[in-house]
Amino acid sequence: MKSPTTTTGVGGGPWHWLMQDTMEGLRRRRALLGYLFLLPTLLGIFVFTAGPVFVSFGLSFFQWNIFKPPDFIGLENFERLLEDRRVIIGLVNTLKFTVLAVTSQVAIGLILALAVHRINRIWLRYYFRTAFFLPLLMSGASVAVFMGYIFHKEFGPLNYYLTLLGIPQIPWLTSSDLVMISIAIISAWRNMGFTFLIFLGGLSNLSQEVLDAADVDGAQGLRRLWSVTIPLLSPQILFAMVTGVIGALQVFDEPYIMTRGGPGNASRTLVMVMYEHAFKHIEFGYGSAIAIVVFLMILVMAIVQMWLWRNRVFYQ
């Protein structure tokens, strides 16, 4: 009987290390098989994600409108950013939307998860889980079209029922003071199902020993929620906030379809400004510079959140 560590004669060649009938050769073949399974995903990431990021970074140093060869201009696109009023307005609107939308969807998702977690009937829990998650399955464009009708000042059902209560019509999408709040509400409604499922999963896996100890100590109601439940949910809260901020900083569908950035520039976001310069004005270099700014904003915000929560996240 041949020992598993004995090498059989397989000859030379570049692949002899792989064909050796040893435990090491078996591990190499398994590793190679694993890399082959990962290859399609890695190629997709490189072609559709990492590749465009590097190309966009390179284009940000050029002036290019497709019709002429790219002209290297160094940091002029980034200097122009500092003086572009539309970019500054888009940045302020994006940050305002991020604060409103992420705060709302995290808070609402947590409240709904706490409520559904207390339901004892399994079928009813499944019903609410499905109902709250369904909006997330809809595309951003379809949600924007549908909600644009719901929030319409004159013909929308929302204002119709408000007038029945004696409340005058509210210009949800035509008031510069309300438009970003309205879009944030719509975004929170669409994305709250994601945070809801995260928190519901976290509640289902809380340490029963810690909860029993809290009961023994007399922690009930809001005291137990604030001192025990929320600290135990800190990993899920951090994840929901980081992913929420990443998505909110890239908001485009809702404001573009519902308001086209109006009234005036009240709902024009930074990604909308990037789109307009790149694809309407055919300024791919300047549009790429704005895209790099958005990328750096996302990176910085994610790092800042991780740093701020470094001592507040408790892993079981």
Side-chain angles (χ1 to χ4, degrees), residues 84-249:
D84 194 332
R85 180 174 174 271
R86 286 162 61 89
V87 169
I88 297 174
I89 292 175
L91 174 61
V92 173
N93 290 337
T94 300
L95 294 176
K96 183 190 301 183
F97 170 84
T98 300
V99 172
L100 293 172
V102 175
T103 303
S104 300
Q105 70 189 47
V106 170
I108 295 174
L110 179 58
I111 293 172
L112 293 177
L114 291 169
V116 173
H117 184 66
R118 297 176 63 88
I119 298 177
N120 294 323
R121 296 184 179 181
I122 297 178
W123 67 268
L124 194 57
R125 294 176 65 178
Y126 284 155
Y127 168 78
F128 283 115
R129 284 168 57 179
T130 303
F132 293 147
F133 189 75
L134 276 178
L136 193 63
L137 301 179
M138 303 170 63
S139 67
S142 61
V143 170
V145 172
F146 174 72
M147 286 298 182
Y149 167 70
I150 296 294
F151 280 76
H152 195 280
K153 178 182 178 181
E154 298 177 358
F155 308 108
L158 181 58
N159 272 344
Y160 169 76
Y161 287 109
L162 289 177
T163 55
L164 295 181
L165 299 174
I167 302 174
Q169 292 181 339
I170 299 176
W172 299 102
L173 302 176
T174 56
S175 169
S176 58
D177 296 326
L178 295 176
V179 62
M180 289 309 297
I181 298 176
S182 303
I183 295 175
I185 292 172
I186 295 169
S187 177
W189 173 81
R190 177 172 177 253
N191 294 294
M192 69 179 182
F194 178 70
T195 55
F196 162 75
L197 284 184
I198 292 174
F199 293 139
L200 190 61
L203 289 170
S204 301
N205 292 295
L206 291 183
S207 174
Q208 190 60 41
E209 291 80 4
V210 176
L211 297 177
D212 292 340
D215 290 336
V216 172
D217 291 339
Q220 298 293 333
L222 293 177
R223 181 183 176 187
R224 172 174 168 172
L225 173 65
W226 185 256
S227 302
V228 180
T229 304
I230 290 181
L232 291 177
L233 286 176
S234 54
Q236 288 79 17
I237 295 175
L238 175 61
F239 178 77
M241 292 187 64
V242 171
T243 55
V245 168
I246 290 174
L249 290 175

Side-chain angles (χ1 to χ4, degrees), residues 12-124:
W15 301 102
H16 71 91
W17 59 272
L18 186 63
M19 302 304 296
Q20 291 176 345
D21 189 16
T22 63
M23 294 300 294
E24 183 65 25
L26 180 60
R27 284 194 293 267
R28 289 171 177 172
R29 287 195 292 272
R30 288 179 176 175
L32 179 61
L33 183 62
Y35 288 127
L36 289 176
F37 279 117
L38 288 174
L39 184 60
T41 300
L42 294 176
L43 286 176
I45 292 174
F46 179 77
V47 173
F48 298 106
T49 304
V53 169
F54 287 114
V55 172
S56 181
F57 181 77
L59 281 177
S60 65
F61 299 101
F62 289 84
Q63 184 178 18
W64 185 41
N65 62 359
I66 298 181
F67 306 107
K68 298 179 181 180
D71 182 22
F72 181 78
I73 58 174
L75 297 176
E76 290 185 16
N77 283 326
F78 295 96
E79 294 174 355
R80 177 182 171 187
L81 281 172
L82 301 176
E83 302 176 354
D84 194 332
R85 180 174 174 271
R86 286 162 61 89
V87 169
I88 297 174
I89 292 175
L91 174 61
V92 173
N93 290 337
T94 300
L95 294 176
K96 183 190 301 183
F97 170 84
T98 300
V99 172
L100 293 172
V102 175
T103 303
S104 300
Q105 70 189 47
V106 170
I108 295 174
L110 179 58
I111 293 172
L112 293 177
L114 291 169
V116 173
H117 184 66
R118 297 176 63 88
I119 298 177
N120 294 323
R121 296 184 179 181
I122 297 178
W123 67 268
L124 194 57

